[in-house]
Amino acid sequence: MRKLFVLFGLAAALTLSGCGYNDFQSKDEAVKKAWAEVLNQYQRRADLIPNLVATVQGFASQEKDVLLGVTNARSKVGSINMTAEALTDPQAIKNFQAAQGELSSALSRLLVVSENYPQLKSDANFRDLQSQLEGTENRIAVARKRFTESVEGYNVLTRQFPTNLTAMLFGYKVKEQFTVENEKAIAAPPKVNFGTTPVPAAPAPTPAPTK
């Protein structure tokens, strides 16, 4: 009887406040759509890696540790199935973010190593892959920004009164954020450099001996 009274009270509060189930449906779908785009862009990055590794290997096969690091990091990312339903699980989002950060770090090391191989840097295929990778990193940043904004809107609706009553009644839970700043704390994203190797500065002239 008490439970029935509580449910009746919630229903009455929802009716009086005008907060609707449809608002949650709309914002929840917006979060799912934004997250799907984040995953699409991360997958695009992962799809570039086999060709990138193969190209680097053709010019720098001795860099086995770096190449293996990128391959293993990509494999780890692929083993994590981060669905939109898991966005309410802090540990799941933490694991996914850590794996993506590890891959970013491995790619950074690979691009740094490539600076030591002039023939690799001048290879047309390698430069094209670098360009695609840079574009993908930019798309990832945009997709994550839109996801962050979508989650913020959804979470406000979930926490604030009186829409928090709707959330309790229909089981809507706060979703975890996945911010660019958090990933930077794990590893800086790869920086693609298309320029030539900088020329070292000329040494300062040796002062004449004092007579």
Side-chain angles (χ1 to χ4, degrees):
M1 185 70 180
R2 183 178 179 182
K3 185 177 180 180
L4 183 62
F5 178 77
V6 171
L7 290 175
F8 177 79
L10 286 173
L14 292 175
T15 301
L16 291 174
S17 66
C19 56
Y21 173 77
N22 289 341
D23 294 331
F24 274 99
Q25 286 280 47
S26 176
K27 289 190 178 296
D28 189 43
E29 287 302 315
V31 171
K32 290 178 180 178
K33 182 178 179 181
W35 180 245
E37 183 59 20
V38 170
L39 293 180
N40 284 341
Q41 296 307 327
Y42 272 128
Q43 184 59 51
R44 187 174 187 273
R45 180 172 75 167
D47 290 343
L48 290 172
I49 291 175
N51 284 340
L52 182 64
V53 169
T55 301
V56 173
Q57 191 171 25
F59 292 88
S61 58
Q62 62 271 34
E63 303 290 350
K64 293 180 180 179
D65 290 343
V66 176
L67 293 167
L68 185 60
V70 173
T71 301
N72 289 342
R74 179 182 184 272
S75 178
K76 185 175 181 179
V77 163
S79 69
I80 299 176
N81 182 26
M82 187 63 203
T83 64
E85 288 69 28
L87 291 173
T88 57
D89 183 351
Q91 189 59 49
I93 197 85
K94 182 179 179 180
N95 292 342
F96 181 81
Q97 183 168 278
Q100 294 293 349
E102 185 178 328
L103 181 55
S104 293
S105 181
L107 283 170
S108 293
R109 289 192 294 272
L110 181 66
L111 293 174
V112 168
V113 164
S114 71
E115 293 295 314
N116 299 324
Y117 299 90
Q119 287 184 322
L120 171 62
K121 289 176 60 180
S122 63
D123 180 72
N125 188 42
F126 180 69
R127 292 176 66 86
D128 179 61
L129 287 168
Q130 279 189 309
S131 178
Q132 291 185 58
L133 180 61
E134 184 179 53
T136 300
E137 292 293 341
N138 292 335
R139 291 186 182 94
I140 288 172
V142 171
R144 287 182 58 166
K145 182 176 183 295
R146 290 173 179 169
F147 170 73
T148 297
E149 292 170 350
S150 297
V151 171
E152 284 176 353
Y154 170 90
N155 283 347
V156 166
L157 198 66
T158 305
R159 291 184 173 121
Q160 72 181 6
F161 181 84
T163 49
N164 63 330
L165 301 177
T166 306
M168 288 189 292
L169 187 62
F170 292 101
Y172 286 103
K173 298 179 181 179
V174 170
K175 298 182 187 295
E176 294 296 313
Q177 275 290 9
F178 188 52
T179 62
V180 174
E181 289 74 17
N182 287 343
E183 187 176 60
K184 283 182 179 179
I186 300 172
K191 295 181 180 180
V192 181
N193 179 14
F194 298 103
T196 58
T197 304
V199 179
T206 303
T210 305
K211 295 183 178 179

